[in-house]
Amino acid sequence: MTSSRALRRADPALESGTVDPAAPSAGADDSTALSAPDAPQELLPRKRPTQERSRRKFDALLASSRELLTEVGFESFTCEEVASRADVPIGTLYQFFANKYVIVCELNRQDFTAVRDELEQFNGEVPSLDWLRFLNNFVDHLAKLWTSDPSRREVWLAMQSTPSTRATGKIQEKALAGQIALMLAPLTPRTGRDRRIMMAEVLVHVVYSMLNFSVQDGQSHADAVDELKRLMAAYLLVAEKESRPN
């Protein structure tokens, strides 16, 4: 008999949706297949489109997911409604995504990829003597992404819902942190690689948390962004000082 404690441990993100007979069956590469059912894992689409027609359907499903998530929140978010809005058969949705948790992880991946692309545009201004101006400019740039796209906060909140969505979010954070760590090198030349990576991970986590905090109802976005800049500046000033030659 299954105990109530075991039921509480069950991760709904690892449950497959009702798959159309034409959809691929679960196998070794299926993102929901596990040898240890309760173990969190990275959630990935069952497959990614390779042809233009499939890519259009895939993109339509993700666009409809953002729209629905913003309107109703994650609790009321369903794969059936996503497929209906995208004008795609539900079986096609399940060919790409095992469930709604995998969908939201793909949305989060899109958001991280967009930030990484934005960061690439600032690579000519890696932190140096003028790193504080770089910091202010980049935080302002990111803040505009959060105010212009309310789905970002909804995606972030949905990512906190299960062990596997949180594990996937952590993997995605680490990828961005790796890029940030490289940019911190000129500012902290005497800091070890492992410490610099940890610093980058802290910065990514704090920035995302604060930006999502900044767009809460009743919260002053500008004030929250100013506080974020102060936090980051103070943190990096200490890191820079510690990395100077004695």
Side-chain angles (χ1 to χ4, degrees), residues 2 43 60 64 72 76 82 91 130 157 159 165 218 232 240-241:
T2 304
L43 301 178
S64 295
V72 305
S76 299
V82 169
D130 203 18
L157 289 172
M159 291 295 292
T165 51
M232 294 179 69
E240 181 188 34
K241 184 177 179 180

Side-chain angles (χ1 to χ4, degrees), residues 5-183:
R5 181 176 297 178
L7 287 173
R8 286 197 299 271
R9 286 202 308 268
D11 188 344
L14 302 181
E15 298 174 1
S16 295
T18 303
V19 184
D20 182 85
S25 59
D29 295 329
D30 192 328
S31 65
T32 62
L34 278 180
S35 56
D38 290 333
Q41 68 169 60
E42 183 179 12
L43 301 178
L44 299 168
R46 284 186 162 126
K47 67 176 184 177
R48 295 189 184 278
T50 56
Q51 298 181 345
E52 181 61 29
R53 183 181 178 187
S54 294
R55 191 175 297 114
R56 286 198 300 268
K57 292 179 180 178
F58 188 85
D59 291 344
L61 287 167
L62 291 177
S64 295
S65 295
R66 281 194 183 277
E67 177 185 272
L68 180 62
L69 190 61
T70 304
E71 287 182 15
V72 305
F74 192 56
E75 187 174 345
S76 299
F77 180 99
T78 67
C79 290
E80 290 76 14
E81 180 61 20
V82 169
S84 175
R85 291 188 179 211
D87 196 22
V88 170
I90 187 65
T92 300
L93 181 148
Y94 284 128
Q95 287 178 7
F96 293 121
F97 306 107
N99 52 44
K100 71 178 188 176
Y101 301 94
V102 181
I103 293 176
V104 81
C105 286
E106 184 66 10
L107 294 176
N108 200 54
R109 187 198 66 80
Q110 278 189 336
D111 289 346
F112 269 104
T113 298
V115 171
R116 293 179 70 179
D117 290 345
E118 294 289 344
L119 197 57
E120 288 289 343
Q121 297 180 24
F122 281 78
N123 268 353
E125 298 183 77
V126 291
S128 58
L129 293 177
D130 203 18
W131 67 266
L132 188 57
R133 181 175 65 85
F134 164 85
L135 173 68
N136 287 335
N137 288 345
F138 189 63
V139 171
D140 285 339
H141 198 69
L142 287 182
K144 289 179 182 177
L145 295 179
W146 261 255
T147 54
S148 64
D149 183 2
S151 74
R152 282 181 175 273
R153 180 171 180 267
E154 296 301 329
V155 170
W156 183 79
L157 289 172
M159 291 295 292
Q160 316 310 311
S161 60
T162 75
S164 289
T165 51
R166 291 192 294 272
T168 302
K170 188 173 182 180
I171 291 170
Q172 293 166 339
E173 280 192 11
K174 282 181 176 293
L176 178 59
Q179 189 175 2
I180 298 291
L182 293 175
M183 298 185 71

